[in-house]
Amino acid sequence: MNSLGIYLHVPFCGKKCPYCDFYSVSYRKDSAEKYVSAVLRNIVHYADKNKTVDTLYFGGGTPSLLSSDQINRIISTVRDSFLLHENAEITLEANPNTLTPQKLSELLQCGVNRLSIGVQSMNDDELKLLGRTHTSEKAEQAVCDAHHAGFRNISCDLMIALPGQTSDKLLYSINRLCSLPVSHISAYILKAENGTPFDCEDFRRTLPDDDSSAALYLEMVNALHEHGFEQYEVSNFAKDGSESRHNCRYWKCLDYLGIGPSAHSCYDGKRFAVDRDVLQFIDSPVQQISVTDENPCGFEERAMLALRLKTGLDLTDVGQHRSDIEKKIPMLIKAGYAEFDGRFLSLTPMGFLMSNSVIEYLVF
């Protein structure tokens, strides 16, 4: 296929959140400009006018710390180096504190047409616990300012199963978010990731147990459905037509090219990753990569990724594995973990909660 998604990892944060294990360093204006220069030469290095870029994703870190001029230069270089589709989805992750009406207007003019805003909660006490520097009022203002500027594809992140989180508090966040001009919500169960400040027994003891987390997850799925947000992936919900086209590339084993420290790629028949070192990235003529898979997208991987999506696994596309899978389906349906229409096997919300175990049972 000639279509391509590009992921740009922007490794700068104003403040590191205690739950985050993504690669990031403290923002400095001079380092950001050197980083942008490195991004531009890497885009040129991979240039291919036979490739149509239909999704471009600025992830991080906090990409909205980059200036509008820097983002414009990156998008322009992508346009010069590849065929940038006229309806390409161009996403920028953003912290609410970095979004002003002027910045939002400039981003839209640059070509950014989708925002992913790191809200996490609409309860101020939960935001404080998560180490976020914005308030719920600021998050609401950022979404409204973005819509007023002209953005019609706005996603918000939501974290659930926080210490002490009740059903009422979760529903308050959901109802308040859904009252805003938002078309997509990414919702994640809070984990104490290795190597983060939350990676300690004292914090883990404050987290809800598995049954409580599951109950909150299922309540969230139902509440979002009532607001018109349909689940299309384990952690993602969208109104009609607002699914993240870029993230769907990952789950459908379509080509994507990652640029920036810690970025991953599935490109030219290989999976590879860039070292988690921004200084090395800045100093290298071309980013240093390590091949992680010489033959990606085999049956097991394709099946695992397909089952993350609500559309599920197409059993006409699994070859000799079909009979083995079909034998296991009745038990999953009886347990309430799956649905099967004779062709597509898909997981239910309860199945998504148990997805690792269900997928291992089905595929491996």
Side-chain angles (χ1 to χ4, degrees):
M1 293 180 65
N2 288 326
S3 71
L4 177 67
I6 295 180
Y7 172 80
L8 301 167
H9 189 77
V10 183
F12 302 110
C13 281
K15 177 189 175 187
K16 183 82 169 181
C17 296
Y19 56 82
C20 181
D21 67 342
F22 293 138
Y23 177 68
S24 68
V25 297
S26 296
Y27 173 81
R28 287 178 48 188
K29 189 174 181 179
D30 58 337
S31 296
E33 181 57 32
K34 291 175 182 176
Y35 158 84
V36 170
S37 296
V39 167
L40 299 183
R41 64 175 177 264
N42 273 281
I43 293 171
V44 172
H45 170 76
Y46 290 106
D48 186 345
K49 280 293 189 177
N50 291 316
K51 296 284 188 182
T52 298
V53 173
D54 54 20
T55 67
L56 176 59
Y57 195 103
F58 291 81
T62 308
S64 54
L65 285 171
L66 296 183
S67 70
S68 302
D69 174 69
Q70 289 170 329
I71 292 166
N72 185 53
R73 284 153 51 200
I74 292 171
I75 295 173
S76 296
T77 303
V78 171
R79 185 178 292 110
D80 291 342
S81 303
F82 299 87
L83 294 176
L84 183 61
H85 196 285
E86 61 181 354
N87 293 318
E89 175 193 85
I90 302 179
T91 303
L92 182 87
E93 291 183 350
N95 182 298
N97 284 337
T98 64
L99 298 177
T100 64
Q102 180 179 344
K103 179 77 172 275
L104 287 160
S105 178
E106 291 169 353
L107 290 173
L108 202 61
Q109 291 174 17
C110 292
V112 177
N113 52 29
R114 183 175 183 271
L115 290 176
S116 178
I117 303 177
V119 173
Q120 314 307 353
S121 173
M122 294 300 281
N123 291 284
D124 286 333
D125 60 332
E126 292 181 342
L127 290 172
K128 185 176 181 180
L129 181 148
L130 291 170
R132 304 295 289 178
T133 57
H134 66 272
T135 62
S136 59
E137 183 179 0
K138 178 59 182 175
E140 184 171 327
Q141 188 64 53
V143 172
C144 292
D145 285 346
H147 188 262
H148 186 262
F151 283 94
R152 294 297 177 265
N153 197 349
I154 302 172
S155 176
C156 289
D157 286 347
L158 177 67
M159 280 200 162
I160 72 166
L162 310 182
Q165 187 173 58
T166 62
S167 172
D168 286 346
K169 294 189 78 169
L170 175 58
L171 290 177
Y172 175 81
S173 280
I174 291 171
N175 292 336
R176 194 168 164 191
L177 266 184
C178 292
S179 71
L180 301 175
V182 173
S183 56
H184 185 282
I185 290 177
S186 295
Y188 305 99
I189 293 176
L190 178 61
K191 305 288 186 186
E193 302 289 356
N194 291 338
T196 66
F198 281 174
D199 180 19
C200 61
E201 284 307 312
D202 285 347
F203 180 77
R204 285 191 174 88
R205 280 195 290 269
T206 69
L207 291 172
D209 61 25
D210 290 345
D211 288 344
S212 299
S213 296
L216 288 168
Y217 177 87
L218 294 174
E219 188 158 19
M220 174 194 68
V221 172
N222 291 331
L224 289 174
H225 173 75
E226 290 176 2
H227 284 287
F229 289 84
E230 297 303 325
Q231 184 173 29
Y232 70 95
E233 192 268 344
V234 174
S235 301
N236 287 278
F237 305 78
K239 293 185 175 179
D240 287 343
S242 296
E243 295 84 359
S244 169
R245 285 158 46 195
H246 182 82
N247 286 341
C248 283
R249 299 191 73 90
Y250 303 153
W251 303 315
K252 294 178 179 178
C253 265
L254 300 176
D255 273 5
Y256 57 92
L257 172 64
I259 294 175
S262 83
H264 288 251
S265 301
C266 185
Y267 186 65
D268 273 354
K270 291 183 174 61
R271 285 195 185 278
F272 54 88
V274 185
D275 294 341
R276 292 167 62 102
D277 187 334
V278 67
L279 294 179
Q280 181 188 76
F281 177 75
I282 287 171
D283 291 340
S284 300
V286 178
Q287 62 185 9
Q288 303 298 299
I289 64 170
S290 301
V291 175
T292 56
D293 193 341
E294 294 278 2
N295 297 288
C297 300
F299 161 70
E300 289 87 358
E301 184 179 11
R302 285 188 293 107
M304 177 183 67
L305 293 172
L307 286 167
R308 286 187 62 94
L309 290 168
K310 183 60 178 174
T311 49
L313 178 63
D314 184 352
L315 292 200
T316 67
D317 190 36
V318 300
Q320 62 184 5
H321 303 280
R322 178 163 185 160
S323 60
D324 289 337
I325 292 174
E326 285 185 330
K327 291 174 186 175
K328 301 173 182 178
I329 291 175
M331 192 184 87
L332 294 177
I333 293 174
K334 185 177 180 180
Y337 294 157
E339 297 171 340
F340 184 52
D341 64 5
R343 177 177 176 179
F344 287 93
L345 174 65
S346 58
L347 301 189
T348 62
M350 181 65 77
F352 281 141
L353 273 170
M354 304 290 294
S355 60
N356 289 342
S357 298
V358 171
I359 291 168
E360 183 175 358
Y361 169 71
L362 272 172
V363 175
F364 295 98

